[in-house]
Amino acid sequence: MPKSPSGAATIASDPTHEQNAAEERAPVQEKGKTGLPQLILLITIFYVAMNLRPALIGVGPVIDSIRDGLGLSATALGVLLTLPVLCFGIFAPFAPRLLRWQPAERIIFFSLLLLAAGILLRSWQGTLGLFAGTLLLGLAISVVMVLLPAIIKQHFPVNAGLMMGLYSTALAGGASIAAGITVPLEHWFNDDWRYALAFWVVPALLAAIAWLPQSRGAPAVRLRQEGAMPRLRGNWLAWQVTLFMGTQGAIAYCVFGWLPLILVERGLSAMDAGFVLAGLMTVQLSTSITGPWLATRGRDQRPMIFVFLTLVLVGLLGLIYGSMGAVYLWAVVFGLGFGGMFSVAMSLLVLRSANPQVAASLSGMAQGVGYVVAAAAPLIVGVLHEYTGDWSAVTVFLVLLVGGAMWSGLLAGRAKVIGPQNTTPK
């Protein structure tokens, strides 16, 4: 079996070989867990994933109300919007280490309770509570996002790519719901943003209750039973997955954060620009669920990564320079590409992992570094636009991000698997 320069075992294989290897790696007790228990677990994972975005996305629509209610400066608002993403980057690499003390299922349960506590604290303790609660919910979400792929890898080893597609769809669906109903909630609660944001504690607590039976069952991922957590910092394949995760996330945060302003400066009203963004986010749901399925039909994921990123590039250039009469067409093209790009990136966390421990470690590394990159990119866009006064330099920067995603994605999309050995740089 060939090895990477760092000593991590990797294999190149066709889908049939990977499928057979996944079945061999699955513990005996998990092979027998089929039918209704797996369906219940899948539904529970889907619902938990839907709760990992509303607490974050809900802030944007009511940001003006938060500013007026607490008297925050533009800098403070920028920190508020960036803080959760930075939490992902800071805490995600450490999440797999928690498996040394508790199984993944129990950690996820307590993280959901922490998410609910952060949502409440953010709404009821003034400015200090706003930032402290945001920090807590960012910590909770980062832990759950790292460990859920390991759970999926353990319980659905043969269909892990498709299951990650469903997981990505749940993330996008939760974000779309929050973007659409947070302002109506604010109006319903007498224009009080605190109640509108506090509302999301209800589905978060319901998710904790739904997950409780999983935390009481036999642990699926626990290091004391399965061995030490592999160290992937010296593994080139792990870095390829990480770079792909970071660059595609950077594209997403730049577009979601700055596209409305770009469209407004091109002549659309603020409301129409919001409709374009909402349409884009809705369209991405289609390829979020079908992207991983299409990507696992061939020998590897490279063809679909190329197709999705090409759609992203065409849609992006169309939104910035194309005819405004076709703006919704460009949004559809971008949304189709982005939904597939994101879901395939998430799927690679399990497709490139030999077992749940590797999946947890790779998830922590890829999402940790990736979200730091994603957090920095919108700031760079703001600086470029302010310095140049137009969107030409920003467009060059975004095209470079797409190029970086294409390069790292085509490398990460090869049919190789990171082995379970500890890996340290030579």
Side-chain angles (χ1 to χ4, degrees):
M1 179 182 297
K3 295 191 175 184
S4 70
S6 62
T10 62
I11 61 173
S13 61
D14 57 31
T16 302
H17 180 90
E18 289 191 24
Q19 186 178 73
N20 293 336
E23 291 177 329
E24 292 174 0
R25 290 190 296 268
V28 175
Q29 67 270 23
E30 294 302 329
K31 285 185 179 181
K33 187 176 181 179
T34 58
L36 185 59
Q38 274 198 323
L39 178 60
I40 294 174
L41 174 61
L42 176 59
I43 294 173
T44 306
I45 290 174
F46 190 88
Y47 181 64
V48 168
M50 287 190 68
N51 281 273
L52 301 182
R53 286 295 180 267
L56 306 177
I57 301 299
V59 174
V62 296
I63 193 70
D64 287 341
S65 299
I66 295 174
R67 179 190 60 188
D68 296 339
L70 297 177
L72 298 180
S73 65
T75 301
L77 292 177
V79 172
L80 177 66
L81 294 173
T82 306
L83 184 58
V85 184
L86 291 179
C87 286
F88 297 161
I90 294 171
F91 296 126
F94 297 98
R97 301 183 185 182
L98 299 175
L99 295 173
R100 300 183 185 277
W101 294 279
Q102 293 291 332
E105 294 87 347
R106 196 170 300 162
I107 296 172
I108 291 174
F109 172 72
F110 287 117
S111 296
L112 291 172
L113 294 180
L114 184 63
L115 170 61
I119 293 173
L120 288 178
L121 178 61
R122 180 177 63 178
S123 293
W124 301 115
Q125 294 299 320
T127 301
L128 178 61
L130 178 68
F131 286 93
T134 300
L135 178 65
L136 288 181
L137 63 87
L139 167 60
I141 293 172
S142 65
V143 171
V144 177
M145 286 184 60
V146 168
L147 297 184
L148 274 182
I151 297 290
I152 292 172
K153 180 68 176 180
Q154 180 71 11
H155 288 283
F156 306 95
V158 177
N159 298 311
L162 177 59
M163 296 303 106
M164 287 299 292
L166 292 172
Y167 169 67
S168 303
T169 303
L171 290 174
S176 298
I177 292 172
I181 73 170
T182 300
V183 171
L185 282 173
E186 182 186 22
H187 295 331
W188 194 61
F189 288 119
N190 297 320
D191 293 328
D192 194 328
W193 65 268
R194 297 175 302 167
Y195 286 100
L197 294 184
F199 168 83
W200 300 109
V201 74
V202 177
L205 288 175
L206 291 176
I209 295 172
W211 188 261
L212 182 58
Q214 303 298 330
S215 67
R216 292 179 173 178
V221 187
R222 190 173 186 176
L223 291 186
R224 283 185 285 180
Q225 295 179 356
E226 301 291 342
M229 178 65 63
R231 295 187 294 268
L232 303 179
R233 287 175 295 178
N235 184 274
W236 181 223
L237 179 57
W239 277 109
Q240 292 162 4
V241 175
T242 298
L243 291 173
F244 183 46
M245 179 67 71
T247 48
Q248 66 85 28
I251 295 168
Y253 278 93
C254 289
V255 171
F256 292 162
W258 289 98
L259 179 61
L261 181 59
I262 293 174
L263 296 178
V264 167
E265 292 192 3
R266 295 200 63 200
L268 285 187
S269 67
M271 180 175 294
D272 287 338
F275 286 152
V276 172
L277 181 60
L280 185 155
M281 295 180 68
T282 302
V283 168
Q284 71 166 331
L285 296 177
S286 60
T287 47
S288 288
I289 190 170
T290 59
W293 182 84
L294 293 171
T296 53
R297 296 307 92 192
R299 180 176 178 83
D300 57 36
Q301 288 71 54
R302 287 177 292 179
M304 292 313 302
I305 288 174
F306 178 81
V307 170
F308 288 138
L309 282 169
T310 300
L311 290 174
V312 165
L313 180 60
V314 172
L316 184 63
L317 293 177
L319 288 168
I320 298 176
Y321 294 116
S323 169
M324 294 305 292
V327 65
Y328 282 98
L329 173 62
W330 303 126
V332 168
V333 172
F334 182 89
L336 290 173
F338 173 74
M341 175 185 68
F342 172 67
S343 60
V344 171
M346 295 296 293
S347 298
L348 291 180
L349 299 179
V350 295
L351 293 175
R352 299 288 85 92
S353 301
N355 59 37
Q357 285 69 38
V358 175
S361 185
L362 180 60
S363 179
M365 175 180 173
Q367 296 191 69
V369 176
Y371 278 113
V372 170
V373 175
L379 298 178
I380 295 175
V381 169
V383 171
L384 289 175
H385 180 57
E386 183 175 359
Y387 181 76
T388 62
D390 59 29
W391 298 104
S392 298
V394 170
T395 303
V396 172
F397 174 67
L398 292 176
V399 170
L400 289 176
L401 285 179
V402 175
M406 183 74 78
W407 174 73
S408 56
L410 293 178
L411 290 174
R414 296 172 297 167
K416 294 187 176 184
V417 176
I418 301 173
Q421 290 87 352
N422 283 0
T423 61
T424 53
K426 283 188 176 182

